[in-house]
Amino acid sequence: MDWFAAVDGYCERGGTGIWSEPLNVATNAAFLIAAALLWPRVRGLARGRALCLVLAAIGLGSGLFHTAANRLTGLLDVLPILAFILLYLHAAARDLLGMGRGAALLATAAFLPYAALTVPLFARLPGLGASAGYAPVPVLILGVAAWLAPRAPPTARGLAGGGALLLLSLAFRTLDGPLCTAFPIGTHFLWHLLNALLLGWMIEVWRRHRLAAAGRPR
């Protein structure tokens, strides 16, 4: 495999230069801003600090991919996202669902076969395309929200809002290609902005639940 083979997968990219996607590059700053805003809010919470660091890494990896768009930077784009999903799942299993250490690790690891089984099913949906790789995530978020609804209603509502926001974000990611002729700058930049908001919100939902469970002010 040629790891440096160019990738042209987004509407805004009109050439091969590193500044061919200026809006897609610039909007990655939203991830860094979200991480910076949340950093002081998760002081004393090790998992919260780790989530903020990975959130910043998402912005850096995506920014690199949208400048030097090739297979290698594409990998650097998706790996921090996967890391955030797994880290958040572990935090949710431990702190939202009250699992022990071993059970939380197993629940986190179970995401990989879950995704392997469900992504091909979502890929069959017309028009979803490459966004099928992310489709299992809102289903999982909304499932956890439903489970927590009778036990922790504020947390459940927060997660449900996050799941809905991710569905909207995925819609803009999916529409980037189909709307390209009518909207030449594309809609992928909205995926960045909404995702930065989403991931920051998900950290905040976890933080509030964690502090409420400890009887501490939020």
Side-chain angles (χ1 to χ4, degrees):
M1 178 183 291
D2 182 2
W3 286 102
F4 296 98
V7 174
D8 183 5
Y10 301 99
C11 179
E12 189 186 16
R13 179 160 284 271
T16 58
I18 62 173
W19 300 118
S20 295
E21 299 179 53
L23 196 55
N24 285 344
V25 172
T27 48
N28 282 296
F31 294 101
L32 303 180
I33 293 170
L37 290 174
L38 281 160
W39 184 259
R41 294 181 65 79
V42 295
R43 180 176 299 146
L45 301 173
R47 281 192 280 272
R49 284 285 169 97
L51 284 165
C52 286
L53 290 174
V54 178
L55 177 56
I58 289 174
L60 295 175
S62 180
L64 184 60
F65 176 55
H66 288 289
T67 50
N70 56 51
R71 289 174 178 169
L72 178 59
T73 56
L75 187 63
L76 297 177
D77 176 34
V78 299
L79 284 180
I81 297 173
L82 177 59
F84 188 95
I85 292 171
L86 294 176
L87 186 59
Y88 195 91
L89 281 175
H90 184 262
R94 290 284 281 166
D95 301 316
L96 306 187
L97 301 179
M99 292 184 182
R101 183 176 299 175
L105 288 174
L106 287 175
T108 303
F111 175 78
L112 299 177
Y114 161 71
L117 288 172
T118 55
V119 168
L121 298 178
F122 283 110
R124 295 182 180 182
L125 296 178
L128 194 56
S131 294
Y134 297 97
V137 180
V139 174
L140 188 58
I141 293 173
L142 294 173
V144 175
W147 176 263
L148 286 174
R151 301 165 180 81
T155 302
R157 288 193 295 269
L159 291 176
L165 186 58
L166 181 51
L167 289 173
L168 178 62
S169 180
L170 277 170
F172 283 118
R173 187 183 194 280
T174 304
L175 290 171
D176 184 68
L179 294 182
C180 191
T181 301
F183 196 59
I185 64 172
T187 58
H188 191 77
F189 73 97
L190 293 171
W191 158 260
H192 291 163
L193 294 176
L194 290 173
N195 265 7
L197 176 61
L198 161 70
L199 299 181
W201 172 245
M202 294 295 285
I203 295 173
E204 178 65 13
V205 170
W206 167 83
R207 186 192 74 88
R208 291 181 182 184
H209 183 96
R210 174 75 183 270
L211 294 183
R216 294 165 57 187
R218 298 184 299 179

